[in-house]
Amino acid sequence: MTKPAASAPSLSVAASLSKPQSATLEELEEEEQEDKFDINISITNPEKIGDGMNAYMAYKVSTQTTLPMFRSKAFTVRRRFSDFLGLYEKLSEKHGPNGYIVPPPPEKSILGMTKVKVGKEDPSSAEFVERRRAALERYLQRVVCHPSLLQDPDVREFLERDELPRAVNTQALSGAGFLKMINKATDAVSKMTIKMNESDVWFEEKLQEVESADQQFRKIHGLVDSLVGHRKELSLNTAGFAKSVAMLGSSEDNTALSRALSQLAEVEDKMEQLHQEQASNDSFCFAELLADYIRLLGAVRGSFDQRMKAWQRWQDAQSMLQKKRETEAKLLWANKPDKLQLAKDEITEWEAKVTQYERDFDRVSATVRKEVLRFEVLIYFFFKTLVAFTLLIKYWEAFLPEAKAIA
Amino acid sequence: YRNLTHWLKTRSVSVDLNNDASLLIDIPDALCERDKVKFTVHTKTTLSAFQKPEFSVPRQHEDFIWLHDTLVETEDYAGLIIPPAPPKPDFESPREKMHKLGEGEATMTKEEYNKMKQELEAEYLAVFKKTVQVHEIFLQRLSSHAILSKDRNFQIFLEYDQDLSVRRKNAKEMFGGFFKNMVKTADEVIISGIKEVDDFFEQEKTFLLDYYSKIKDSTAKAEKMTRSHKNVADDYIHISATLNTLSADDSTFYLRLYKVEGRVASDQELKLTELLRYYMRDIQAAKDLLYRRARALADYEHSNKALDKARLKSKDVPQAEEHQQQCLQKFDKLSESGKRELTSFKGRRVVAFRKNLIEMAELEIKHAKNNVTLLQGCIDLLKSN
């Protein structure tokens, strides 16, 4: 059901592709066609387990799939938040260094969770749980959308296995901590001297786009927060207006006009509810989505860093090889045959390493390039806004005949 | 510095007033210089009272106020609902916003700044449109009134091709704004204190007092609502402009979404809030009529008491009798004319509400439909590729 459309992202991070090697792109597109798979994840039924500070939320994770590698076509397990973090940790350890963009999990939130634990049955904690549920769903959906990650047995285990061993060491993965980690790596990398060649230019440009997108996304996030606030205000004011018009309608002595004004009040009231829905939808979807993508961009930067690390390893191996050759030369000159053999062995060793690391670097580069191309942006909330406006039309059309009835 | 010719030519009259071909008035053009708005008042007439069949004069807001005040001060019109004076053109809001925008320019991208500027210019234009409309309606109310259209000062206003400000100053000295102040200080105690003899006026009084307070509240809440709507629209501009720096596709969607939402806000402003605001003022004018009649009734009652006193003392009886007769006549005249005016006012109000509410609803539907088309197109775009 879910097919990542690698060639159709609407943000410039992937849209403005420079094409230095068209052959590679063709290969990629071919691969895309082969990558048709069908798997759908839904996360439902958040349930509070336990009491007090040891309580946690358990979520139902349901998988529907036609892929043969799974034990059946539909199955369900219960997972808690730390399980998701544990999955991320495993995937990031295994695949990160290879240049894969491992989707980051939702952020930990001590405040949000504490409210839930303490048992505050207020709308804000319900909202928090819902936000988290939706975020976990989006996270898992992204993981299974990734053809390489899907093959990982840890993913299969996460989806299928009834009881998962408790994940430890998830403390390190708070949202802020994750980003700090990425930022440190990026800074370290930029301090390295980098030799520019053709393909490096592509990566350099992509990285710049990613960083600029990150900046803009954060700005938009702030603006959207402002939008949501104003929307809430609008809905309050619309409600106040609706009540006032209803009062006016009841004072009106012309019956038809009185009815029309009451209708107007009703419509304005419905519009207020709609605005409220739009406000909470904006908040649930767009702002959340933005936060998702800010984190995803962090992961993209992470994969660039991995490429740099691979490059650095290769460069270091080359310098080491150089050193060993110099040692050999010195030993030849000094005429120490026993040490010479050792030196020759070491040279062989390092030559192999250089070859290996060069291959690694090429492989990681290719993976990063593929990953960046695959990186896509889905925008959910437009669909919900569409629904909202469709409803809006219905309400106004209901109002119109009443207004015409005033003779 | 802004010429509205195109809009002025293509719009329709809000309330069907300009129907009588014997005297047609409109404001085809207006110019804004700093704070002052100059209206071009254009008249087409078949009446012999005027020197030419068609003519135009430049007028300022103060000239309209002068005209309104002289009408209010005219004793003969005490039994009429004088159309409410148009409010002063108020560019405070967009000007303040423009100032803030200038201050915040450094923090915005060029795109954002330009879009915000465009939006403010549109707001400015909306205020402009509103003020032209409201001044025009004032004149058209007068021209469509059987008695007021014949007023000499009204004719001077329309025809006199020199600057009116000299006449304005003289008028103020003559009347001294006495009657107007009287009406202003006359509070509801006068009306509600008087024992009403006529059922019609008793009902009208109750209705108008109640309705006035309700419509005042609705007007205030409508203004608050449209302000919120504007805030939301402004947020969209910022967001769309920022998205623009990322890519062409997304931003166009958001920008157009803003444009529709923004227009809904300014249309709502024009139609609903203006409707409520206008009738709030109109009802105040109707209330003023009730005040004047109540005062006439009070005068009549005083004259009755004075007559009784005179009869008791057998002193100045004929004068007292005459005074009492005059008061009664005045009261009867006001009652008769007042009844006519209030009845036609009721009908007029209902028609205007109907028209405005229909137009507003149709506009909302149009905009909401536009939004749907827009969003559907966007979805198709995202799904294609």
Side-chain angles (χ1 to χ4, degrees):
Chain A
M1 196 210 79
T2 40
K3 174 182 180 284
S7 47
S10 42
L11 287 182
S12 71
V13 173
S16 51
L17 270 181
S18 49
K19 297 188 181 187
Q21 292 135 0
S22 51
T24 326
L25 274 167
E26 275 166 26
E27 283 168 27
L28 269 168
E29 271 153 22
E30 260 175 48
E31 247 180 80
E32 270 311 294
Q33 298 307 310
E34 291 160 12
D35 276 345
K36 283 191 166 69
F37 48 85
D38 188 341
I39 176 167
N40 189 29
I41 309 282
S42 61
I43 296 187
T44 54
N45 301 67
E47 193 189 322
K48 186 172 161 194
I49 311 278
D51 265 314
M53 288 315 285
N54 287 324
Y56 63 92
M57 296 301 292
Y59 302 87
K60 204 163 103 175
V61 179
S62 309
T63 312
Q64 280 177 316
T65 178
T66 59
L67 294 173
M69 69 192 204
F70 290 100
R71 59 175 157 93
S72 66
K73 287 205 161 62
F75 43 90
T76 303
V77 294
R78 292 197 78 81
R79 295 284 179 257
R80 54 187 291 185
F81 185 66
S82 55
D83 293 333
F84 291 82
L85 296 185
L87 175 65
Y88 168 75
E89 171 122 38
K90 288 190 191 133
L91 293 176
S92 144
E93 243 175 60
K94 278 192 259 178
H95 304 280
N98 293 322
Y100 286 100
I101 299 173
V102 181
E107 287 190 5
K108 274 188 165 193
S109 164
I110 298 181
L111 180 64
M113 239 356 245
T114 307
K115 270 205 211 156
V116 173
K117 287 182 189 191
V118 164
K120 266 189 103 183
E121 286 288 333
D122 65 38
S124 74
S125 58
E127 203 181 287
F128 169 79
V129 170
E130 170 53 26
R131 276 214 305 273
R132 175 157 282 189
R133 182 210 64 77
L136 288 173
E137 197 176 84
R138 291 195 302 272
Y139 163 64
L140 211 52
Q141 196 65 53
R142 285 189 192 113
V143 170
V144 301
C145 263
H146 195 299
S148 307
L149 294 181
L150 182 59
Q151 301 300 324
D152 190 309
D154 281 325
V155 172
R156 216 175 318 144
E157 186 186 70
F158 182 91
L159 294 174
E160 274 184 331
R161 192 164 156 184
D162 286 324
E163 291 288 327
L164 265 191
R166 242 327 279 276
V168 291
N169 290 337
T170 58
Q171 334 302 343
L173 291 169
S174 78
F178 172 77
L179 281 172
K180 233 189 269 174
M181 190 173 78
I182 296 293
N183 285 333
K184 255 202 260 178
T186 314
D187 288 338
V189 161
S190 61
K191 289 199 183 99
M192 297 182 210
T193 49
I194 303 169
K195 195 167 130 195
M196 286 296 180
N197 64 31
E198 228 178 64
S199 76
D200 279 334
V201 167
W202 184 89
F203 286 99
E204 182 74 14
E205 282 174 4
K206 284 294 143 198
L207 186 59
Q208 270 176 13
E209 282 167 21
V210 168
E211 273 164 4
S212 138
D214 179 74
Q215 228 184 0
Q216 297 300 330
F217 277 5
R218 284 171 199 275
K219 183 171 172 194
I220 295 170
H221 196 270
L223 292 174
V224 170
D225 277 345
S226 160
L227 172 67
V228 167
H230 283 142
R231 263 257 154 76
K232 286 206 169 98
E233 218 176 77
L234 175 60
S235 89
L236 272 166
N237 289 340
T238 311
F241 174 67
K243 285 196 187 77
S244 181
V245 171
M247 296 283 283
L248 186 66
S250 66
S251 281
E252 180 58 66
D253 57 356
N254 178 296
T255 344
L257 181 53
S258 167
R259 242 199 346 265
L261 284 173
S262 306
Q263 272 285 73
L264 175 62
E266 213 181 293
V267 172
E268 292 290 344
D269 197 43
K270 281 192 182 133
M271 276 176 71
E272 180 254 319
Q273 286 172 30
L274 214 62
H275 281 148
Q276 189 49 48
E277 191 183 316
Q278 252 186 314
S280 51
N281 275 359
D282 286 350
S283 155
F284 269 39
C285 301
F286 195 44
E288 290 288 287
L289 214 59
L290 266 176
D292 272 9
Y293 285 110
I294 291 171
R295 276 195 302 272
L296 264 168
L297 284 172
V300 175
R301 284 198 353 252
S303 77
F304 278 89
D305 293 343
Q306 295 297 344
R307 177 178 171 267
M308 283 320 300
K309 281 207 189 111
W311 183 87
Q312 194 62 45
R313 219 179 304 130
W314 174 33
Q315 297 303 305
D316 292 345
Q318 281 182 319
S319 356
M320 189 56 92
L321 177 62
Q322 187 62 27
K323 274 207 202 108
K324 297 297 174 191
R325 289 203 171 121
E326 285 166 9
T327 309
E328 187 202 27
K330 279 198 202 125
L331 289 173
L332 263 169
W333 212 85
N335 197 21
K336 292 203 172 117
D338 46 332
K339 283 198 178 140
L340 193 61
Q341 187 52 47
L342 186 63
K344 276 193 164 49
D345 290 338
E346 282 186 341
I347 287 174
T348 314
E349 190 191 322
W350 280 100
E351 274 173 349
K353 280 199 178 147
V354 165
T355 314
Q356 180 60 49
Y357 291 160
E358 184 179 2
R359 263 195 230 123
D360 284 349
F361 172 69
D362 285 339
R363 181 178 43 84
V364 170
S365 279
T367 305
V368 172
R369 183 190 284 266
K370 232 174 53 173
E371 287 289 275
V372 166
L373 293 179
R374 191 186 292 286
F375 182 63
E376 64 166 315
V377 176
L378 279 173
I379 302 174
Y380 301 98
F381 82 102
F382 287 171
F383 293 80
K384 296 213 168 111
T385 326
L386 172 68
V387 171
F389 277 119
T390 317
L391 289 172
L392 193 63
I393 289 178
K394 262 206 223 121
Y395 293 140
W396 277 103
E397 284 182 324
F399 171 65
L400 191 57
E402 199 64 56
K404 284 208 159 104
I406 310 172
Chain B
Y1 64 93
R2 217 153 272 292
N3 198 314
L4 300 175
T5 329
H6 176 72
W7 171 74
L8 289 162
K9 284 205 177 97
T10 55
R11 74 207 156 99
S12 63
V13 181
S14 282
V15 188
D16 294 309
L17 290 170
N18 225 20
N19 288 333
D20 186 359
S22 65
L23 184 59
L24 293 170
I25 307 178
D26 69 320
I27 300 182
D29 199 3
L31 231 75
C32 189
E33 279 164 17
R34 289 161 200 278
D35 275 1
K36 291 250 170 249
V37 182
K38 273 204 167 73
F39 304 95
T40 304
V41 178
H42 169 250
T43 312
K44 236 179 168 169
T45 178
T46 57
L47 300 173
S48 53
F50 295 93
Q51 289 174 11
K52 287 186 267 183
E54 187 169 357
F55 46 88
S56 288
V57 292
R59 290 288 176 253
Q60 291 178 27
H61 170 72
E62 287 71 24
D63 301 330
F64 288 76
I65 299 303
W66 164 80
L67 178 59
H68 173 262
D69 289 354
T70 59
L71 295 173
V72 167
E73 305 282 346
T74 309
E75 270 287 331
D76 281 348
Y77 303 149
L80 307 177
I81 298 177
I82 311 291
K88 195 173 160 133
D90 180 18
F91 295 98
E92 186 60 44
S93 167
R95 204 175 323 125
E96 199 185 302
K97 277 188 181 173
M98 193 66 98
H99 182 71
K100 271 204 196 118
L101 182 67
E103 286 184 340
E105 189 177 352
T107 63
M108 299 183 215
T109 65
K110 193 159 185 263
E111 172 102 29
E112 248 176 292
Y113 177 77
N114 287 337
K115 294 227 164 73
M116 285 303 293
K117 192 149 165 272
Q118 255 175 34
E119 158 70 356
L120 280 177
E121 285 168 1
E123 200 178 313
Y124 203 91
L125 192 66
V127 171
F128 207 179
K129 283 185 191 177
K130 250 192 325 203
T131 196
V132 166
Q133 212 167 41
V134 98
H135 283 77
E136 193 182 67
I137 285 174
F138 171 69
L139 295 177
Q140 287 168 347
R141 282 279 299 274
L142 294 175
S143 68
S144 56
H145 194 285
I147 299 172
L148 293 172
S149 59
K150 298 192 178 68
D151 181 80
R152 183 68 198 125
N153 284 312
F154 180 46
Q155 289 170 356
I156 290 170
F157 176 93
L158 292 174
E159 225 182 4
Y160 188 62
D161 57 4
Q162 306 287 313
D163 193 352
L164 270 184
S165 45
V166 178
R167 285 196 87 99
R168 281 197 270 128
K169 281 209 198 84
N170 295 342
K172 244 204 172 95
E173 278 150 23
M174 262 167 66
F175 291 112
F178 173 69
F179 206 127
K180 214 166 93 163
N181 289 336
M182 255 323 289
V183 170
K184 275 198 180 122
T185 54
D187 58 0
E188 293 179 4
V189 175
I190 291 188
I191 323 181
S192 36
I194 295 294
K195 193 159 154 263
E196 190 48 76
V197 292
D198 190 331
D199 265 348
F200 173 82
F201 283 99
E202 180 64 35
Q203 276 173 15
E204 279 304 298
K205 180 180 76 178
T206 315
F207 170 71
L208 284 178
L209 287 179
D210 178 45
Y211 200 80
Y212 179 75
S213 72
K214 300 242 164 68
I215 201 171
K216 193 166 170 205
D217 183 61
S218 294
T219 307
K221 299 250 161 70
E223 285 169 350
K224 218 172 159 192
M225 184 177 75
T226 49
R227 262 201 305 274
S228 286
H229 222 144
K230 273 213 185 84
N231 282 342
V232 170
D234 281 350
D235 283 338
Y236 274 136
I237 305 184
H238 284 295
I239 293 172
S240 81
T242 310
L243 280 174
N244 223 11
T245 63
L246 289 174
S247 132
D249 302 316
D250 296 58
S251 70
T252 325
F253 160 78
Y254 234 154
L255 181 62
R256 291 197 299 199
L257 181 63
Y258 146 69
K259 276 221 163 76
V260 183
E261 181 119 23
R263 247 186 275 129
V264 168
S266 55
D267 285 332
Q268 261 189 349
E269 255 285 290
L270 273 176
K271 296 232 163 278
L272 182 61
T273 320
E274 265 315 289
L275 176 74
L276 292 172
R277 227 183 261 137
Y278 187 77
Y279 277 96
M280 185 181 76
R281 279 186 248 118
D282 220 7
I283 287 170
Q284 181 62 52
K287 276 167 72 185
D288 292 348
L289 167 59
L290 288 180
Y291 288 146
R292 293 192 290 267
R293 181 179 165 277
R295 248 203 43 185
L297 182 56
D299 289 345
Y300 174 57
E301 284 182 359
H302 281 146
S303 74
N304 264 341
K305 290 204 181 89
L307 180 58
D308 288 344
K309 234 187 183 167
R311 283 197 178 131
L312 224 65
K313 287 188 182 156
S314 298
K315 197 180 161 194
D316 294 326
V317 172
Q319 291 105 307
E321 272 177 351
E322 202 191 311
H323 182 61
Q324 191 239 33
Q325 275 310 299
Q326 276 176 354
C327 285
L328 179 60
Q329 269 171 24
K330 181 167 172 212
F331 174 67
D332 281 342
K333 183 171 160 227
L334 284 192
S335 295
E336 191 193 314
S337 142
K339 199 175 243 170
R340 243 195 340 261
E341 288 280 298
L342 288 169
T343 312
S344 79
F345 169 68
K346 199 184 287 288
R348 213 171 358 101
R349 185 172 59 80
V350 170
V351 167
F353 263 81
R354 176 182 189 270
K355 185 161 196 247
N356 270 278
L357 291 176
I358 291 175
E359 282 176 9
M360 184 181 73
E362 282 173 344
L363 217 62
E364 296 260 8
I365 292 177
K366 182 175 133 200
H367 288 322
K369 276 190 173 146
N370 279 349
N371 275 355
V372 173
T373 315
L374 192 72
L375 288 161
Q376 190 59 59
C378 186
I379 290 169
D380 292 342
L381 178 76
L382 289 169
K383 274 188 176 163
S384 67
N385 289 341

